[in-house]
Amino acid sequence: MDQEDRIALFLDYENLALGARDHHGGMAFDFRPIADALAERGRVVVRRAYADWSYFDEDRRMLTRSHVELIEIPQRMGASRKNAADIKMAVDAVELAFERAYISTFVICTGDSDFTPLVHKLRELNKRVIGVGIEKSTSALLPPACDEFLYYDRLEGVDIPATRARRGRPARVPSPEPQHVEPQPVEQEPEPQPAVEEPARDVDTLSVLVAQTVAGLQGSSSGQVTASGLKRTLLRKDPTFSESDYGFRTFGELLRHLAGHNVIELAEGPAKGDPEVSLPEHGDREVAFGLLRSVVLDLAGDGGSVALSGLKNQLQRARPDFSEKKLGYRSFLQFCKAAATNGLVDLQWSADVDDYLLDAKPA
């Protein structure tokens, strides 16, 4: 139990409940998907929700059953109820950060950018911060401030109702005088179509992101790159990152998929279930170097040189799926420098043409 993260949960309940209702066709907010998501991340020791509960009678019972402490922020004449809830929630969170040193993670459930300074302060106090918000009502400023941000709409167990367009009733236009009108066929109303699931995001884009991240970690650290360390780095780059958005149930499943496509390699790591991740040293990388050399040979002819500009297009004509980023290189120039280091081409800067020139070395 000592290795578990202790989590304190703070809900700006009005922001979440009204956001779910307004952006998802009157959908009622359900606390259970948030509780399930946090159960996978640690032990929740504090659960508090802030609102004027006279407006959320049914929700109050639902939260009480989930052992959430309800903090009453009554509406008063001449006072801003919203600001009162925000201030109370921020003060309680900071106070808890000082009083309960064992709490390592704070979960701030809101989409309001007013809580961004609170997130910064908690991280300054060496606390991990997870945000939760409704995607369409979350300020763009809030997710990048957090260590991780979960969109409530994407959590497992949240059923978004299909939105249906309202059909207007046609206006009745009076005829100036009776006249014979040919009967017109009755237009059938189109049958409601089932809700289409949101397609998984582009896995090729993810492959580039993972390869670049692994390459960066290998270059900046002499130690092993583990799956857990890779996931933390991906979340630092994009706190909204989630493997489920790409159609994978777990991060391990995602890594196995990328390993099967030779984007990365997996080996036994220092801990069970936390494999070491590296870029392939052979295979696709050697094939890509060979492709570069052969294209340079074809373009250069006898004793000629090939300019770097436009060379990548020539490689993609020969191999449409070529991408240096999938191999972990940040740029095509970096890829060519690696090929030169491996002795397949010669790369030199030419002031005459204001570009790099490549020559294929003899086999």
Side-chain angles (χ1 to χ4, degrees):
M1 182 176 291
D2 290 340
Q3 301 301 320
E4 289 183 323
D5 280 339
R6 265 66 164 194
I7 298 175
L9 170 64
F10 292 83
L11 294 100
D12 179 9
Y13 195 78
E14 186 169 338
N15 181 277
L16 291 178
L18 296 184
R21 185 195 70 186
D22 295 343
H23 295 286
H24 294 298
M27 180 183 75
F29 178 80
D30 183 10
F31 175 72
R32 177 50 52 186
I34 294 180
D36 291 343
L38 296 183
E40 299 168 357
R41 288 163 171 80
R43 180 174 171 230
V44 182
V45 296
V46 175
R47 302 183 183 193
R48 296 178 185 174
Y50 297 75
D52 184 342
W53 295 109
S54 62
Y55 291 89
F56 303 100
D57 192 52
E58 290 297 323
D59 303 59
R60 181 172 56 188
R61 283 188 278 271
M62 176 265 293
L63 292 170
T64 301
R65 287 194 296 270
S66 297
H67 310 287
V68 177
E69 180 184 359
L70 307 182
I71 308 299
E72 180 73 35
I73 308 294
Q75 184 174 10
R76 297 182 177 88
M77 294 297 294
S80 172
R81 176 166 47 92
K82 174 186 178 300
N83 287 343
D86 291 359
I87 293 170
K88 173 63 173 171
M89 183 168 148
V91 169
D92 286 357
V94 173
E95 183 181 39
L96 202 67
F98 280 105
E99 291 184 349
R100 304 288 188 268
Y102 57 82
I103 294 179
S104 57
T105 301
F106 282 74
V107 179
I108 309 298
C109 298
T110 183
D112 194 342
S113 62
D114 290 348
F115 285 97
T116 305
L118 170 63
V119 172
H120 289 315
K121 177 56 66 175
L122 290 172
R123 296 186 67 184
E124 184 181 325
L125 294 171
N126 198 28
K127 305 298 183 181
R128 174 174 163 82
V129 181
I130 300 175
V132 181
I134 307 298
E135 187 165 7
K136 291 183 179 179
S137 63
T138 295
S139 167
L141 298 174
L142 190 59
C146 300
D147 293 294
E148 182 179 3
F149 198 91
L150 307 175
Y151 285 118
Y152 174 79
D153 326 53
R154 302 181 190 174
L155 293 179
E156 187 71 27
V158 177
D159 297 321
I160 305 298
T163 56
R164 298 179 180 178
R166 295 183 179 179
R167 298 188 180 93
R169 183 174 296 177
R172 182 178 297 172
V173 180
S175 300
E177 58 183 22
Q179 57 182 358
H180 177 71
V181 180
E182 293 293 333
Q184 299 293 325
V186 178
E187 183 179 352
Q188 298 292 330
E189 288 188 351
E191 294 184 0
Q193 298 296 321
V196 180
E197 291 187 0
E198 183 180 353
R201 296 186 181 183
D202 185 10
V203 179
D204 286 340
T205 302
L206 177 63
S207 300
V208 171
L209 174 64
V210 171
Q212 286 180 324
T213 304
V214 173
L217 289 172
Q218 288 180 331
S220 62
S221 173
S222 58
Q224 296 175 325
V225 179
T226 61
S228 59
L230 175 61
K231 177 69 177 286
R232 286 193 298 269
T233 305
L234 290 172
L235 284 171
R236 282 196 290 266
K237 288 185 172 184
D238 178 11
T240 67
F241 170 81
S242 172
E243 59 274 3
S244 62
D245 292 339
Y246 297 88
F248 299 98
R249 293 172 295 177
T250 64
F251 190 63
E253 183 180 334
L254 164 63
L255 294 181
R256 289 190 293 272
H257 171 83
L258 296 180
H261 287 74
N262 208 32
V263 176
I264 57 172
E265 289 182 348
L266 298 177
E268 185 176 352
K272 185 177 180 181
D274 192 13
E276 181 183 355
V277 185
S278 61
L279 292 175
E281 295 297 334
H282 305 288
D284 277 5
R285 190 174 295 189
E286 288 189 347
V287 171
F289 288 158
L291 173 67
L292 173 65
R293 181 179 179 278
S294 65
V295 169
V296 170
L297 275 173
D298 291 341
L299 294 174
D302 294 330
S305 299
V306 178
L308 181 69
S309 301
L311 182 58
K312 181 177 177 179
N313 293 336
Q314 299 298 326
L315 265 69
Q316 289 178 329
R317 286 183 182 179
R319 182 177 170 182
D321 63 341
F322 169 79
S323 170
E324 75 281 355
K325 292 182 173 60
K326 288 184 179 180
L327 301 171
Y329 299 104
R330 300 182 185 277
S331 66
F332 185 65
L333 174 60
Q334 187 185 37
F335 166 74
C336 292
K337 287 181 177 179
T341 302
N342 281 265
L344 278 84
V345 296
D346 183 49
L347 180 69
Q348 297 291 335
W349 173 258
S350 172
D352 294 335
V353 296
D354 195 28
D355 198 357
Y356 284 97
L357 295 179
L358 289 89
D359 298 292
K361 289 189 176 182

